[in-house]
Amino acid sequence: MSLETIRCNFCAFRCRIAPGKTGRCGIRRNLNNQIITVSYGEVSALAVDPIEKKPLYHFLPGSNALSVALAGCNFTCQFCQNQHISQKEYFYQLNTTKLSPEGLAVKQQETDTPIVAYTYSEPTVWRDYMLDSAKLLKPRNVKNVMITNGFFSKETIQETQKYIDGFNIDLKGDNDFYKTYCGGEVDPVLQSIKTIAANPEKVLEVTTLLIEKRHKMDEIMRLGEFLEKSKVKVWHLSRFYPCYKMIDIPATTEQFLLEVLAKVKSQFDIPHIYAGNSNLEEFNQTICPKCGKLLIKRSGWSIIENNLINGKCTCGHKLYGIFTN
C-alpha cells in the first residue's frame, strides 16, 4: 500500500499530515492512509460544573453540566489556563481514563446532569468523539454544549450545528493578537460566530479575555462592532489572570474592566454584556432588555433569584436563550 499525505478537515488549518505524523494539535495522526484522533476515548478531565462556569448564562441557568475533555488544541495561546491538557509539551505526563461515548452517556445518567459540555481543551480537534457522544445523548433529551476557540473548518461548522445546542466561542482579539499570542488567525473565528449567531435554533455566547497590557480600547471596540453587526446577544468580558507563558503579565484590573464595560454598553446594541472573573457583581446579572427588570440574579456561579416565567419577563419579552429542558 502506498502511503500518502492527507489533509485533515477538523479545523481551519486543514493540516496536510504526512504518514505517521500528526497535525498542529498533536492528536490528529495519519495512520495507514487514514487520519485518526489518537486521544479518542482517552478522557483527560471529567467533572460536574455549574453551567455558569463555562460561561453560559442563557442556557438552562442554575443547571449542572457534565464537563468532559480529551487532550489537544490547534492553538498555542500563551495565556492558556488548561495548558496541561491542551498543549503537546505536556502530553507525555497526562493521566487519562478510557471512556467511550457510550461510557460517557452512562456517566451522564449517573450524574443526572441535563447538559454535557465539551470543554477545557479544544473540542474541535476531537470532533469525532464529541459528535459520537452528542449523537447518543441528544435523543435522550440531554443538551450538548461546546466551549471552543471557534477556529472551525466549514465541515465542523456544519456538523456541530446538527448536534450541539449551545456554543461559547472565544473571540480573543484582532488578527495581530491571534498571530502574536495564539498561533492562529481571526477570520475563521469571525465566520463561525457569524454563522452560529444566524441560527435561531442555537444559543451562542461569546467570551473575550481582556489582557490589560495587551488589549487596546480601539481593538475591543472593533470586536464589539463586529458582534453587534453579527447580532450576537451575549458577550462576556473577562479579566485575565497570569498563567502559562504570561505569568509575568499583571492581572487585568477591575478598573480597566469597568472602563471597557461602560464603553461597550454605551456604544453597542448587544443586549447582554457580562463581567467575568470579576467582583463587579452588578455586571453579572441578567436584565430584561425591554423593561429593565432584574430577571436572573447571580452571586459567582450561583443563581440567587430567577424571575423568568417560561423564559419570559413579566413584561412579555422572551429572553434570548434556552430556559427549559
Side-chain angles (χ1 to χ4, degrees):
M1 179 176 63
S2 175
L3 298 180
E4 302 174 354
T5 295
I6 306 174
R7 190 181 293 277
C8 179
N9 71 358
F10 273 24
C11 87
F13 282 128
R14 294 186 173 274
C15 294
R16 293 183 61 85
I17 306 177
K21 303 297 183 181
T22 60
R24 291 177 182 237
C25 61
I27 67 165
R28 295 286 289 159
R29 175 172 291 158
N30 182 344
L31 185 64
N32 298 325
N33 287 344
Q34 182 180 2
I35 299 181
I36 65 164
T37 301
V38 297
S39 63
Y40 188 99
E42 296 292 338
V43 169
S44 55
L46 187 71
V48 174
D49 296 322
I51 192 63
E52 285 76 17
K53 188 178 179 180
K54 299 297 114 190
L56 284 167
Y57 280 15
H58 290 246
F59 200 101
L60 300 182
S63 298
N64 283 330
L66 179 63
S67 300
V68 61
L70 278 56
C73 186
N74 46 3
F75 281 1
T76 54
C77 297
Q78 295 179 22
F79 46 87
C80 183
Q81 298 173 347
N82 294 311
Q83 71 271 21
H84 292 95
I85 61 173
S86 69
Q87 298 303 304
K88 290 182 287 187
E89 68 214 66
Y90 293 100
F91 287 0
Y92 73 94
Q93 63 187 35
L94 273 176
N95 292 317
T96 62
T97 301
K98 192 72 176 177
L99 192 67
S100 66
E102 291 80 9
L104 182 63
V106 171
K107 289 287 186 183
Q108 180 276 322
Q109 287 183 314
E110 291 174 350
T111 55
D112 193 27
T113 43
I115 307 165
V116 171
Y118 308 94
T119 181
Y120 301 140
S121 60
E122 179 44 58
T124 303
V125 304
W126 34 276
R127 183 185 83 187
D128 44 1
Y129 179 85
M130 175 180 67
L131 293 182
D132 287 348
S133 301
K135 289 173 188 177
L136 289 175
L137 294 162
K138 196 172 180 66
R140 304 179 188 183
N141 200 33
V142 178
K143 302 296 187 187
N144 294 278
V145 299
M146 183 182 186
I147 317 306
T148 174
N149 62 30
F151 197 73
F152 297 162
S153 64
K154 290 182 180 179
E155 293 88 345
T156 292
I157 290 178
Q158 293 169 353
E159 290 301 309
T160 54
Q161 288 186 95
K162 293 177 184 177
Y163 301 100
I164 304 299
D165 303 290
F167 298 79
N168 186 296
I169 295 181
D170 287 338
L171 180 57
K172 301 173 187 289
D174 61 16
N175 203 48
D176 286 343
F177 185 92
Y178 273 83
K179 288 183 175 181
T180 303
Y181 301 108
C182 307
E185 301 172 3
V186 74
D187 283 350
V189 181
L190 299 179
Q191 185 58 54
S192 298
I193 290 171
K194 189 183 299 183
T195 301
I196 296 168
N199 187 339
E201 297 181 355
K202 306 302 172 185
V203 173
L204 170 66
E205 304 188 22
V206 174
T207 297
T208 300
L209 183 70
L210 295 177
I211 306 176
E212 187 171 353
K213 298 299 182 181
R214 296 296 181 267
H215 286 106
K216 303 299 182 186
M217 189 67 78
D218 59 346
E219 175 188 0
I220 298 166
M221 297 302 282
R222 288 194 297 273
L223 299 182
E225 183 178 1
F226 166 79
L227 295 177
E228 181 185 52
K229 287 182 178 178
S230 300
K231 301 190 185 312
V232 167
K233 307 298 185 188
V234 185
W235 191 14
H236 298 268
L237 293 161
S238 294
R239 290 176 64 213
F240 160 83
Y241 283 91
C243 55
Y244 193 30
K245 295 181 180 180
M246 297 183 77
I247 197 72
D248 58 333
I249 304 298
T252 297
T253 63
E254 295 277 24
Q255 181 59 37
F256 179 75
L257 178 59
L258 190 60
E259 290 171 7
V260 173
L261 287 164
K263 191 154 187 179
V264 299
K265 278 178 168 284
S266 66
Q267 187 77 21
F268 302 117
D269 183 21
I270 300 173
H272 306 284
I273 299 176
Y274 297 106
N277 297 332
S278 168
N279 294 318
L280 301 172
E281 289 210 341
E282 66 268 31
F283 292 98
N284 209 24
Q285 318 309 329
T286 298
I287 306 297
C288 176
K290 185 176 179 181
C291 73
K293 180 179 179 178
L294 174 64
L295 295 179
I296 301 174
K297 183 177 181 180
R298 299 178 180 85
S299 179
W301 295 319
S302 299
I303 302 294
I304 306 301
E305 191 177 325
N306 188 338
N307 296 311
L308 286 169
I309 303 172
N310 296 323
K312 292 183 178 180
C313 176
T314 52
C315 76
H317 175 78
K318 187 179 186 303
L319 196 65
Y320 175 78
I322 293 177
F323 302 98
T324 55
N325 196 12

